[in-house]
C-alpha cells in the first residue's frame, strides 16, 4: 500500500514502516499472528497487514506512546503492559488525537485532502492490559519482557525460534530517555544489561527499517557506562527544550538522549 513500506527480513517476519517513519512488526506462526505496535494510525493498518495475517491476530503494543498506539482503532483489541495502560488510553483518546493531527498536519506529514474522521474516532475502550507474558503462535513462541526505561511499561519481545528480538523504543538509532514517564538512567542501564544474554542474533527496532545483528545491541549495552555518560553533552530536543536533555553515544551508531535531572 502506498502509505506503508513493507519488508520481509526473515521468513514469516514483516517489518512495516508508516508515513511517520514508525515501524510495526508482524510475526506469523502456523496458526496465529502477532502485530507488534500499530504505528501512528493515519492510514489503515489492518488493510496493510491483511495479506500477511495467518490465523488469529494478536495486537500487542511495545509501550503507550501515540506513535506506536494510535493505529489501535483499526483492531478490536490491543494489549499494553498494565504499567502503561492508563497513559496509553489517554493518548488514543479524541482530545489527544486532535492535538496529534494538528501537529502532524503542520509538519506536512499528511496529504492536503486527508480525511481525519476515522483517525479521530479511535476509542480507548479497545486498549486492554497485557496479562500473559508469553504467546504461542503455533511453532513460534513469543516472550514479552518488561523493560522499564523509555516508559515504565515498555516491553521487548523475544521470538527464540527466529533468534529475533523486537526492542520497541528500548533501543533505536536515537533512544529517548527524557520524558516524564521515562525511568532514570540507572534503571534503564539495569534493564539493558538484563537483555544482554538473550538468545537472539537479530534485532528489529521501532524507528529503523533495517534489521541489525544482536551484537550491535550488545556493543551498545557495553557502552552504557559512567565514562560514556560523563562525556554526554547538552542537546536541546525541540519541542522538549524545557527538559535538560544530554546526548551520548554508547555505540557509534546509537545516540542516547537522557534527562540530566533523572540520573539516579
Amino acid at each position: 500500500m502506498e502509505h506503508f513500506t513493507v519488508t520481509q527480513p526473515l521468513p514469516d517476519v514483516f517489518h512495516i514502516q508508516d508515513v511517520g517513519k514508525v515501524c510495526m512488526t508482524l510475526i506469523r506462526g502456523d496458526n496465529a499472528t502477532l502485530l507488534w505496535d500499530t504505528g501512528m494510525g493515519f492510514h489503515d493498518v489492518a488493510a496493510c497487514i491483511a495479506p500477511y495475517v495467518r490465523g488469529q491476530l494478536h495486537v500487542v503494543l511495545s509501550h503507550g506512546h501515540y506513535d506506536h498506539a494510535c493505529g489501535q482503532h483499526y483492531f478490536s483489541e490491543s494489549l499494553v503492559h498494565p504499567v502503561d495502560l492508563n497513559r496509553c488510553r489517554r493518548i488514543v483518546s479524541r482530545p489527544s488525537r486532535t492535538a496529534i493531527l494538528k501537529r502532524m498536519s503542520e509538519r506536512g506529514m499528511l496529504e492536503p485532502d486527508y480525511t481525519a474522521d476515522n483517525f479521530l474516532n479511535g476509542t480507548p475502550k479497545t486498549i486492554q492490559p497485557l496479562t500473559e507474558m508469553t504467546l504461542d503462535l503455533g511453532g513460534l513462541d513469543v516472550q514479552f519482557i518488561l523493560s522499564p526505561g523509555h516508559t515504565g511499561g515498555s516491553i521487548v519481545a523475544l521470538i527464540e525460534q527466529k533468534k529475533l528480538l523486537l526492542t520497541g523504543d528500548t533501543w533505536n538509532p536515537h533512544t529517548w530517555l527524557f520524558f516524564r514517564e521515562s525511568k532514570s538512567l540507572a534503571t534503564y542501564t539495569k534493564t539493558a544489561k538484563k537483555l544482554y544474554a538473550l538468545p537472539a542474533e537479530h534485532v528489529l527496532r521501532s524507528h529503523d527499517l533495517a534489521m541489525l545483528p544482536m551484537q550491535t545491541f550488545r556493543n551498545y549495552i557495553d557502552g552504557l557506562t559512567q565514562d560514556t555518560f560523563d562525556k554526554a553533552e547538552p542537546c536541546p530536543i525541540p519541542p522538549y527544550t524545557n527538559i535538560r536533555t544530554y546526548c551520548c553515544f554508547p555505540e557509534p551508531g546509537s545516540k542516547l538522549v537522557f534527562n540530566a535531572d533523572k540520573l539516579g
Side-chain angles (χ1 to χ4, degrees), residues 106-118:
E106 290 172 350
R107 295 179 190 178
M109 188 177 292
L110 301 173
E111 55 269 31
D113 60 348
Y114 178 74
T115 301
D117 291 350
N118 192 14

Side-chain angles (χ1 to χ4, degrees), residues 8 10-14 16 25-35 46-59 75 135-142 159 162:
Q8 188 175 1
L10 294 169
D12 289 317
V13 176
F14 302 87
I16 304 161
T25 309
L26 186 143
I27 310 290
R28 187 169 62 190
D30 292 338
N31 51 37
T33 299
L34 167 68
L35 177 64
C48 171
I49 69 169
Y52 313 108
V53 173
R54 180 183 294 147
Q56 182 180 359
L57 177 65
H58 302 268
V59 181
F75 306 99
L135 179 62
D136 180 3
L137 300 178
L140 290 181
D141 300 306
V142 184
I159 303 92
K162 296 286 185 184

Side-chain angles (χ1 to χ4, degrees), residues 112-156:
D113 60 348
Y114 178 74
T115 301
D117 291 350
N118 192 14
F119 177 77
L120 292 175
N121 287 334
T123 171
K125 294 180 180 179
T126 63
I127 300 284
Q128 297 297 324
L130 177 69
T131 58
E132 300 292 334
M133 297 300 282
T134 59
L135 179 62
D136 180 3
L137 300 178
L140 290 181
D141 300 306
V142 184
Q143 179 184 357
F144 301 112
I145 303 167
L146 180 61
S147 303
H150 181 68
T151 68
S154 290
I155 59 175
V156 301

Side-chain angles (χ1 to χ4, degrees), residues 41-205:
F42 292 122
H43 302 286
D44 195 337
V45 181
C48 171
I49 69 169
Y52 313 108
V53 173
R54 180 183 294 147
Q56 182 180 359
L57 177 65
H58 302 268
V59 181
V60 177
L61 307 175
S62 63
H63 62 290
H65 282 161
Y66 76 90
D67 52 335
H68 301 260
C70 273
Q72 52 80 219
H73 65 287
Y74 296 106
F75 306 99
S76 60
E77 181 180 78
S78 300
L79 305 179
V80 70
H81 192 277
V83 172
D84 273 14
L85 180 61
N86 290 336
R87 173 173 298 279
C88 192
R89 285 176 171 170
R90 288 195 301 272
I91 209 71
V92 302
S93 67
R94 188 180 183 92
S96 175
R97 286 176 181 271
T98 301
I100 292 164
L101 183 69
K102 182 176 184 296
R103 287 201 307 273
M104 299 307 152
S105 296
E106 290 172 350
R107 295 179 190 178
M109 188 177 292
L110 301 173
E111 55 269 31
D113 60 348
Y114 178 74
T115 301
D117 291 350
N118 192 14
F119 177 77
L120 292 175
N121 287 334
T123 171
K125 294 180 180 179
T126 63
I127 300 284
Q128 297 297 324
L130 177 69
T131 58
E132 300 292 334
M133 297 300 282
T134 59
L135 179 62
D136 180 3
L137 300 178
L140 290 181
D141 300 306
V142 184
Q143 179 184 357
F144 301 112
I145 303 167
L146 180 61
S147 303
H150 181 68
T151 68
S154 290
I155 59 175
V156 301
L158 174 68
I159 303 92
E160 191 167 347
Q161 291 94 335
K162 296 286 185 184
K163 300 187 182 302
L164 175 64
L165 181 67
L166 310 179
T167 60
D169 277 2
T170 295
W171 178 49
N172 273 308
H174 291 193
T175 301
W176 285 7
L177 198 69
F178 58 80
F179 296 113
R180 179 183 301 175
E181 62 272 20
S182 297
K183 297 301 180 181
S184 68
L185 194 57
T187 296
Y188 174 73
T189 299
K190 184 177 179 180
T191 287
K193 290 185 181 301
K194 287 183 177 179
L195 303 177
Y196 191 94
L198 290 177
E201 295 179 1
H202 318 288
V203 178
L204 288 172
R205 308 187 286 184

